[in-house]
Amino acid sequence: MYDVLIIGAGVSGASIARRLSRYKLDIAIVEKDVDVSMGASKANSAIVHGGYAEPHEELRGRICYPGRTQFEGLNKELNFGFVANGSLVLAFEEEDKDALQKLYDMGIENGLPDMEIIDQEKLREIEPNVSDNAIAALWCKGAGVCSPYEYVIALVENAVANGAELFLNSRVCDIQKDDDHFVVKTENDKELEAKYVINASGLEGAIVSKMIAETDFDIHPRSGEYLIFQKGTGKKINNVLFQVPTEKSKGILATRTFHQNLLLGPDAIDEEEIDLSTHEDRLMYIYEEAQKSVKDDVINLREFIRSFTGLRPASSTHDFIIEESNVPGFINVVGIQSPGITSSPEIAKIVESILKDSGLNLEEDPNYDPHRDPIIEYKELEDMNKIKDKVNLPLGDPERIVCRCEQVTEKTIRDAMNRGIPVETLDAVKRRTRAGMGFCQGQFCKPRVLEVMEDEMGKKPYDEKFDSERSGLSRLNKKRINELIKEMQDTNRKEIEKKEEK
């Protein structure tokens, strides 16, 4: 019997598992999908938020900043990729300054010590490529960016290294209370017993809760689409650039990723059904809105490599739900949308406190090791001419470069596959090593990666979930972007010709 069973291996479940693995506990992590970080934690803005965007009355407003302050230490222990490059909320009109003041006041109430409202001169000093139309900004120095899926992978790897057990492909279908413990059943016929159950199942949070507890909330998907550009394009921006937020989102942003890709998005659409496709009209809206934040030469659509959609598990309460249910020992951790990644260290602490108050004995494990070695670290790409000989090395040579665009070696791929989490899809290797994330989007390296995986596993990897192209999703690609560029150029030319005729 497990002491604690966690349903869901997204950022909340992973953070809780890693936090609890420091104690002498038997921990199970049960995940419905083929890998960890497959839901909202995989596809998002990757921002470690400042903590000024939500009011203090909301739980997410109170715990965002305390969570943010832990990221530097977590990154030193887990090596997932984090940089505190700062954030700017831009004002373009005089009335926008009132919104900046409101955000500043909320930040002060939430305990932030590192904000200031700056004028045009200061703004252009710290962000030379900001739009000439920006007249002021709220600057938060300690906000930043991380690699979100690498963060979740690191958390789970470390939890597993400290004794937690991970069960993938194990969708929970039934939960029963049997005297002093729970019996959790999965669709693949597992039956697990645990003293405490933590529901961190993301978009399925209400569904799982209703299996055992009175549930007075709903969870619905809120989609946001993104445009991402090739590596190096993120160097044009120093800070995360927000616009004045709306009721649903923090506005269209332009930011660098940890690995120096330019990222634009998201919009925010409440959905009735899950849809991970991307749509031309939404992406063009994001492109046009993001252009308002920067100078004309910052965003070049010819450097676009991919579009994607993220889904946020928005709750009917409009806030995080972190509480023990009416069934003692069953704890809901749901509705964790933005700023969920930033808040995740504090979410884990709250759950730890609930468990302690509920009677779970938390005895420190002297063998607990908080360290996890990196799989990859940020690197500048070498000149292709200098690495071409390594590309042609034979299978089995650790220095063989499997992915040219991101210069990923065979040694890195094999390391990623032997970290305590089963890695059996191309997509799983991609998130851990960046093989396939470069300019050609895997056209060169896909068969090479699969070759290494088959050699390492001794069997063919199953890849029905490896990428959108095999799952029937429709996503804007580079070919269509180039067509749209031509259409826009033709439209602009015709408008100019009409004006000249007049």
Side-chain angles (χ1 to χ4, degrees):
M1 181 183 296
Y2 295 98
D3 294 299
V4 179
L5 184 147
I6 301 164
I7 303 172
V11 71
S12 297
S15 296
I16 293 163
R18 197 256 182 171
R19 178 78 191 178
L20 295 180
S21 70
R22 69 188 61 217
Y23 301 111
K24 292 182 178 180
L25 297 172
D26 292 321
I27 301 166
I29 312 166
V30 181
E31 166 57 44
K32 71 179 187 301
D33 227 316
V34 69
D35 194 11
V36 306
S37 193
M38 290 292 284
S41 304
K42 176 180 71 172
N44 55 69
S45 305
I47 309 301
V48 179
H49 289 283
Y52 50 76
E54 288 78 27
H56 197 70
E57 293 74 30
E58 296 180 0
L59 176 60
R60 57 184 184 155
R62 296 192 296 275
I63 68 175
C64 180
Y65 171 64
R68 189 242 289 182
T69 61
Q70 297 172 60
F71 264 78
E72 185 174 349
L74 284 167
N75 190 46
K76 286 179 180 177
E77 293 177 343
L78 298 173
N79 295 288
F80 54 84
F82 165 70
V83 59
N85 57 314
S87 69
L88 293 163
V89 183
L90 304 176
F92 299 97
E93 308 288 345
E94 283 298 322
E95 54 263 34
D96 289 343
K97 291 182 179 180
D98 292 336
L100 297 188
Q101 187 62 49
K102 182 178 178 181
L103 292 172
Y104 178 85
D105 292 342
M106 285 197 295
I108 293 298
E109 191 172 11
N110 288 337
L112 275 67
D114 56 353
M115 298 179 302
E116 61 177 296
I117 295 176
I118 57 176
D119 60 15
Q120 292 188 48
E121 183 178 355
K122 180 70 173 180
L123 173 58
R124 280 156 184 75
E125 178 185 326
I126 65 174
E127 195 60 67
N129 280 327
V130 73
S131 168
D132 291 336
N133 296 322
I135 60 174
L138 174 64
W139 182 27
C140 180
K141 304 176 188 67
V145 295
C146 71
S147 183
Y149 38 84
E150 290 181 69
Y151 174 46
V152 177
I153 289 164
L155 288 165
V156 177
E157 281 185 3
N158 190 239
V160 169
N162 283 295
E165 291 187 63
L166 174 65
F167 299 91
L168 297 175
N169 296 298
S170 300
R171 183 189 294 272
V172 171
C173 59
D174 185 60
I175 307 171
Q176 299 292 330
K177 187 79 181 280
D178 185 1
D179 194 22
D180 63 345
H181 66 278
F182 295 89
V183 179
V184 178
K185 296 179 181 179
T186 67
E187 289 182 354
N188 58 347
D189 297 325
K190 288 185 177 67
E191 189 170 291
L192 305 172
E193 297 182 344
K195 298 173 186 175
Y196 293 86
V197 172
I198 298 166
N199 172 23
S201 56
L203 284 169
E204 298 188 357
I207 295 171
V208 171
S209 179
K210 289 174 184 177
M211 292 179 185
I212 185 72
E214 292 180 7
T215 303
D216 59 358
F217 59 84
D218 292 314
I219 304 292
H220 66 272
R222 178 172 292 158
S223 71
E225 299 191 10
Y226 295 86
L227 294 159
I228 192 163
F229 296 73
Q230 67 190 65
K231 189 168 183 173
T233 52
K235 293 181 180 179
K236 300 173 184 176
I237 297 176
N238 296 328
N239 296 260
V240 181
L241 301 183
F242 293 102
Q243 297 169 4
V244 171
T246 67
E247 289 184 5
K248 287 185 178 180
S249 78
K250 295 179 174 65
I252 301 301
L253 62 84
T255 183
R256 57 159 287 187
T257 68
F258 176 74
H259 291 285
Q260 289 288 18
N261 300 82
L262 177 65
L263 180 69
L264 310 180
D267 57 355
I269 305 294
D270 288 323
E271 306 277 11
E272 293 184 5
E273 297 180 357
I274 291 176
D275 179 13
L276 290 172
S277 297
T278 58
H279 307 83
E280 288 181 12
D281 57 339
R282 291 175 62 176
L283 290 172
M284 287 302 98
Y285 166 77
I286 289 168
Y287 164 69
E288 290 168 359
E289 286 296 303
Q291 280 187 306
K292 296 177 182 178
S293 297
V294 294
K295 292 186 183 298
D296 291 342
D297 59 349
V298 171
I299 304 173
N300 180 356
L301 278 178
R302 297 195 185 280
E303 297 172 322
F304 164 85
I305 56 174
R306 191 173 185 80
S307 64
F308 67 92
T309 296
L311 293 174
R312 287 157 272 182
S315 75
S316 54
T317 69
H318 307 291
D319 198 2
F320 295 167
I321 301 169
I322 308 173
E323 61 190 16
E324 190 168 25
S325 71
N326 68 303
V327 179
F330 183 82
I331 300 164
N332 278 316
V333 183
V334 296
I336 311 298
Q337 54 170 316
S338 181
I341 287 176
T342 315
S343 304
S344 59
E346 280 299 295
I347 290 171
K349 287 183 179 181
I350 292 171
V351 173
E352 177 188 59
S353 179
I354 291 172
L355 289 169
K356 185 176 180 180
D357 291 344
S358 190
L360 182 62
N361 182 34
L362 299 179
E363 181 182 351
E364 297 273 355
D365 185 348
N367 297 317
Y368 170 70
D369 182 2
H371 182 77
R372 174 257 190 190
D373 289 331
I375 296 176
I376 58 172
E377 297 178 278
Y378 175 78
K379 65 179 181 182
E380 297 286 343
L381 298 178
E382 294 185 59
D383 187 290
M384 283 288 191
N385 292 321
K386 294 182 179 179
I387 64 164
K388 61 183 179 180
D389 290 341
K390 290 184 178 181
V391 173
N392 297 318
L393 291 172
L395 177 69
D397 190 315
E399 299 306 316
R400 175 183 179 232
I401 290 181
V402 180
C403 170
R404 289 184 306 193
C405 294
E406 290 288 334
Q407 300 178 2
V408 181
T409 65
E410 190 170 313
K411 176 173 61 178
T412 299
I413 293 172
R414 293 183 187 274
D415 174 30
M417 296 180 68
N418 291 278
R419 292 283 192 122
I421 302 175
V423 176
E424 299 182 330
T425 68
L426 191 66
D427 197 33
V429 169
K430 178 176 168 181
R431 284 193 300 277
R432 288 161 172 80
T433 68
R434 293 187 61 80
M437 286 190 178
F439 187 74
C440 85
Q441 288 291 287
Q443 292 183 45
F444 173 79
C445 70
K446 174 190 167 183
R448 295 162 64 89
V449 174
L450 290 172
E451 179 185 40
V452 176
M453 292 179 70
E454 184 175 350
D455 185 65
E456 185 67 25
M457 295 165 63
K459 62 179 182 179
K460 286 187 177 295
Y462 67 91
D463 63 351
E464 72 273 12
K465 293 184 178 180
F466 83 84
D467 213 340
S468 62
E469 286 78 4
R470 287 288 295 275
S471 58
L473 296 177
S474 173
R475 289 187 176 171
L476 193 72
N477 55 31
K478 286 192 289 184
K479 179 182 177 182
R480 182 56 186 148
I481 277 286
N482 286 325
E483 291 172 352
L484 288 170
I485 291 171
K486 188 175 185 306
E487 289 173 13
M488 285 190 292
Q489 289 173 339
D490 289 343
T491 300
N492 291 338
R493 188 186 70 251
K494 289 177 181 178
E495 288 178 354
I496 292 171
E497 289 174 352
K498 285 181 180 179
K499 290 179 181 178
E500 289 176 348
E501 287 174 2
K502 291 179 180 179

